[in-house]
Amino acid sequence: MECRFEDRLAGNALRLEGFCSRIEARTVAEVAPALAAIEAARRQGRWVALLLNYELGEWLLPEAALAPPTGPWTPPCGGGEPRLTALVFERKIDEAPWDAPDATSAPAAISLPAPRMAEPDYVRQIEAIRALIGDGELYQVNFTQPLDLRYQGDPATLYRRIAARNPVAHGAFIQDGARTVLSFSPELFVRRDGPRLTTRPMKGTAPRHADPAEDERLGQALLASGKNRAENLMIVDLLRNDLGRLAEPGSVQVDALFSLERYPTVWTMTSTVSALAPRASLEDVLRALYPCGSITGAPKVAAMRRIRQMEAAPRGLYCGSIGWLAPDGDFSLNVAIRTLLLDDSGHGVYSVGGGIVHDSDPAEEWQECHWKARILRA
């Protein structure tokens, strides 16, 4: 088993070793005992790696918050894939991020990702979402789709190759039995540093360009975009409200609004929101914030209901969260976007999506999905 988390922007990595046990929740009834077991392991001085499926959020909501499942897929009541997985380790090792692979490394290759949804079907769903927004049911929905691919060779080499060319602050490589997780996420869901909780929602994306002048124009256009600023602010307000359920009165603050960030294949717009919540446990934080509003939409529960009805398949770990919990109670959880899941049969899934508002252009949203997969070309 390999379990590591990398912040390539800061130049450090955290590797967990000395595997002790696995904690899972496969039914809603198992969630509370699993979270209690995670807390007990932490108090015993253990380090815990967390892999949280997006659909765990349905089990963390108040009972009956979501309508009965309808649509192209029906989530199992229990007994299927775990929605919460915690891997408990004896210790962590601080080290440098992995180097890029050299000529002597084990070979690795992936095929061109293929969408499961045809463009006309995707466009119809976007138009349906725009109609719901026009009717006043929603303000925004984050609509996603899976892309399928085949891979050959060593997953660690593949991770090292992509990560070296696409450095992010919240990367992870977890090889756990038949499943291998390669996360190249640039987005922080929530981090605890002592009494302070910090979240950095990412909303607003534009492609990079090889020509420097055009590239700069694209970045500045994103920063000035009224549509993207409105989307970003909507999620900032949602997260301020979520944090307010935990925070000391008056401590919720917006530390940065509309920050433009440059990555090798995309420009992104982020904001930073923090609060003081010294008595909030990991379970408290998850029940108040999970899943991250940047990958649901607003209002949150209404958006989650429509996501379940309209998307072609369960998201699984995509749009969930991957991260670590330290013995002292600090933790860091990413938003599991730009995340590749591999199985031992050579199949991989890389999902993409974007926030849909009333003035979204379906053709542009379709193109955005495809250039979000550019990192796999490495």
Side-chain angles (χ1 to χ4, degrees), residues 135-148:
D135 290 342
E137 177 182 325
L138 304 160
Y139 301 114
Q140 179 197 95
V141 175
N142 198 77
F143 186 71
T144 77
Q145 60 171 318
L147 312 179
D148 293 297

Side-chain angles (χ1 to χ4, degrees), residues 250-263:
S251 71
V252 179
Q253 60 188 43
V254 179
D255 303 286
L257 192 62
F258 307 144
S259 301
L260 187 65
E261 296 186 356
R262 183 199 315 255
Y263 293 93

Side-chain angles (χ1 to χ4, degrees), residues 196-197 199 236 240 243 247 250-256 272-276:
R196 182 168 296 279
L197 298 174
T199 185
V236 166
R240 288 175 63 215
L243 281 170
S251 71
V252 179
Q253 60 188 43
V254 179
D255 303 286
T272 305
V273 187
S274 66
L276 295 175

Side-chain angles (χ1 to χ4, degrees), residues 150-170:
R150 302 295 300 177
Y151 81 95
Q152 292 180 317
D154 178 40
T157 300
L158 185 61
Y159 172 85
R160 290 165 58 195
R161 181 185 303 149
I162 297 173
R165 298 184 184 181
N166 298 272
V168 296
H170 308 289

Side-chain angles (χ1 to χ4, degrees), residues 3-6 48-54 85 87 159 169-175 179-185 187-190 286 290 316-325 331-341:
C3 184
R4 62 187 293 112
F5 303 93
E6 296 193 334
V48 183
L50 297 164
L51 297 98
L52 310 178
N53 281 20
Y54 165 82
T85 301
L87 306 174
Y159 172 85
H170 308 289
F173 179 85
I174 300 174
Q175 201 160 28
R179 177 172 73 165
T180 304
V181 180
L182 292 69
S183 186
F184 312 100
S185 175
E187 184 172 3
L188 174 69
F189 166 40
V190 61
L286 291 177
Y290 194 82
L317 192 56
Y318 172 63
C319 286
S321 188
I322 304 164
W324 52 265
L325 170 68
F331 56 80
S332 181
L333 297 170
N334 75 8
V335 178
I337 57 173
R338 301 178 201 177
T339 295
L340 176 60
L341 304 180

